[in-house]
Amino acid sequence: MKTKLLVLLTIVLCYGCKKDYKNEASGVSERPSEIVKKSFSEVEIAVLLNDSILNIRALELLKNDAGCYFLTSEGLAGQIKTPDLNNVFLDEITYPITVDADKKGLNFRALAVTTNANFGVTVGSPAYVYKIDDSGASLVYQESHKNAFYDAMAFWNDNEGIAIGDPTDSCMSIIVTRDGGETWTKIECGNLPRAKDGEAAFAASNTNIKIIGDNTWVATGGKSSRVLFSSDKGQTWSVFETPIVQGLQTTGMYSIDFYNDKIGYAIGGDYTKPDGNAVNKIKTNDGGKTWQVAAKNKAPGYRSCVQYVPNSNGEGLVAVGFNGIDYSNDSGENWMHLTNEGFYTIRFVNDSIAYAAGDKRIAKLNFR
């Protein structure tokens, strides 16, 4: 079923004077040796899809077409194609698509997109991994352990991918594919760092995993919140401690992102205490080996997703959560609250336009 753009909601919130920079893409720069960055003071929200049964944390950009793909907590899939990213009214939406009519209550929280197919993993037990392509959806992995609970998924390339979940034994659950998603294998705990008591992860925004090249970072949370790291696409692993708030089942990192192989940021907190901001944001400049508290005792509080703004030299960050959208232009040390409009997850298309998804809706965000 195809539909057009439903609602256009514009939110303009100004905070002082907006800096004007020339676009790096134009090839003209006042500082040739540096990236010319944009600085935002407002966000325009175009609601593309509004549905009372929508609950979306699995959202990823399409590989070959402008747009995004998404999976819902009700076992449905959808696709948005955008022929012209500068005209929000040209978005074309295909929704709903039932992933598996034989299984009810498929709760998708994680998604990965390759050139050839889309892959989704459900939370809870049994855990299902589906491969979805032009021929339909096929079940490619199933895990029935009573504690099975997968949180995030990503691919290094079209053939090799990874999904991570809560421990079912003495380590975090990590499954990998090396054949384009046709088969998945669970890594044995002997080849992974041992999980601490109460260490798990959060299926909040499908951003517990970040991949750059062969490097992979996995953010855990709960009573212990650490970063698992692999430099060889999941063959070997090490683990790094973090100073983020932890100690309870609801605390820790909910989202991690890296601008390059050195500069990274993580955000979270405690979703049951969403205003808590003492130590819910951390940053690294050495690839995740060491982390420092950022924006201590400063807003925002709990957020479920953080993403670097493209072409921002690692200084631009946007965080989203059910309490709104926030922006930083100084590597996450200070934040500007742009709107109370809540979303669970966000993906940037370019340095000013992003897709966001959450409770009952998907939207396009235009940062200016």
Side-chain angles (χ1 to χ4, degrees):
M1 149 181 168
K2 294 193 184 259
T3 183
K4 295 289 186 178
L5 176 67
L6 300 179
V7 181
L8 178 62
L9 172 63
T10 303
I11 297 177
V12 180
L13 299 172
C14 293
Y15 293 79
C17 296
K18 182 179 176 181
K19 296 180 181 179
D20 292 323
Y21 294 104
K22 294 179 183 179
N23 193 326
E24 185 194 24
S26 68
V28 179
S29 171
E30 295 178 353
R31 296 168 293 173
S33 62
E34 301 178 13
I35 292 176
V36 179
K37 304 178 295 296
K38 295 182 178 180
S39 186
F40 306 138
S41 60
E42 61 189 42
V43 60
E44 177 183 290
I45 301 177
V47 179
L48 305 178
L49 182 62
N50 197 330
D51 191 322
S52 62
I53 67 169
L54 274 180
N55 183 21
I56 301 172
R57 299 175 188 268
L59 171 78
E60 293 296 337
L61 300 179
L62 294 171
K63 290 292 185 182
N64 296 325
D65 301 294
C68 63
Y69 195 85
F70 59 92
L71 295 169
T72 81
S73 62
E74 298 292 332
L76 302 175
Q79 179 173 274
I80 298 173
K81 287 193 174 183
T82 313
D84 182 357
L85 291 174
N86 295 313
N87 188 338
V88 295
F89 293 100
L90 290 182
D91 284 311
E92 296 181 355
I93 304 171
T94 303
Y95 167 84
I97 303 168
T98 301
V99 174
D100 189 343
D102 294 331
K103 289 186 172 62
K104 305 297 182 183
L106 293 175
N107 189 345
F108 289 102
R109 297 288 188 92
L111 163 69
V113 173
T114 70
T115 303
N116 304 312
N118 307 311
F119 294 86
V121 58
T122 62
V123 295
S125 180
Y128 300 113
V129 176
Y130 282 90
K131 177 182 180 181
I132 309 167
D133 56 24
D134 292 339
S135 63
S138 56
L139 183 62
V140 291
Y141 180 80
Q142 178 174 335
E143 186 174 328
S144 299
H145 192 284
K146 64 179 182 178
N147 294 329
F149 196 103
Y150 281 85
D151 306 282
M153 173 182 278
F155 270 67
W156 293 285
N157 51 55
D158 282 345
N159 290 320
E160 297 173 289
I162 179 175
I164 67 102
D166 296 352
T168 57
D169 195 355
S170 60
C171 63
M172 295 292 292
S173 296
I174 299 183
I175 58 174
V176 296
T177 180
R178 309 288 183 187
D179 60 2
E182 294 296 334
T183 61
W184 295 76
T185 302
K186 192 166 186 178
I187 299 178
E188 295 182 359
C189 282
N191 297 319
L192 290 170
R194 187 176 183 86
K196 290 189 175 182
D197 180 49
E199 186 175 20
F202 298 109
S205 61
N206 193 35
T207 51
N208 303 85
I209 301 172
K210 179 63 181 182
I211 286 174
I212 295 180
D214 293 347
N215 294 327
T216 310
W217 296 267
V218 172
T220 70
K223 292 183 178 180
S224 181
S225 187
R226 304 185 295 172
V227 173
L228 278 61
F229 174 72
S230 172
S231 62
D232 52 12
K233 294 188 288 189
Q235 301 287 350
T236 60
W237 293 86
S238 54
V239 63
F240 308 126
E241 300 290 336
T242 79
I244 202 166
V245 59
Q246 48 199 287
L248 301 175
Q249 291 182 340
T250 53
T251 56
M253 289 178 287
Y254 281 69
S255 178
I256 191 170
D257 196 22
F258 274 76
Y259 186 78
N260 54 34
D261 61 0
K262 298 297 183 184
I263 300 172
Y265 202 92
I267 201 165
D270 185 343
Y271 80 91
T272 68
K273 301 174 182 177
D275 294 330
N277 57 27
V279 284
N280 72 313
K281 300 171 287 292
I282 57 174
K283 60 192 297 186
T284 180
N285 290 305
D286 60 8
K289 295 181 179 64
T290 62
W291 294 82
Q292 301 78 43
V293 174
K296 186 175 183 179
N297 296 316
K298 297 178 183 177
Y302 165 78
R303 293 293 183 266
S304 57
C305 184
V306 65
Q307 295 283 278
Y308 277 99
V309 178
N311 301 323
S312 68
N313 203 32
E315 296 177 9
L317 288 155
V318 169
V320 303
F322 55 69
N323 277 348
I325 301 172
D326 301 87
Y327 166 67
S328 172
N329 65 0
D330 64 357
S331 303
E333 286 299 333
N334 295 280
W335 292 81
M336 175 190 301
H337 187 64
L338 296 181
T339 174
N340 291 330
E341 296 291 327
F343 294 92
Y344 296 143
T345 191
I346 183 174
R347 298 294 183 276
F348 274 93
V349 178
N350 54 37
D351 59 10
S352 59
I353 296 174
Y355 289 101
D359 183 26
K360 301 180 178 61
R361 61 183 177 163
I362 296 178
K364 180 177 286 182
L365 308 184
N366 185 6
F367 294 89
R368 298 183 297 196

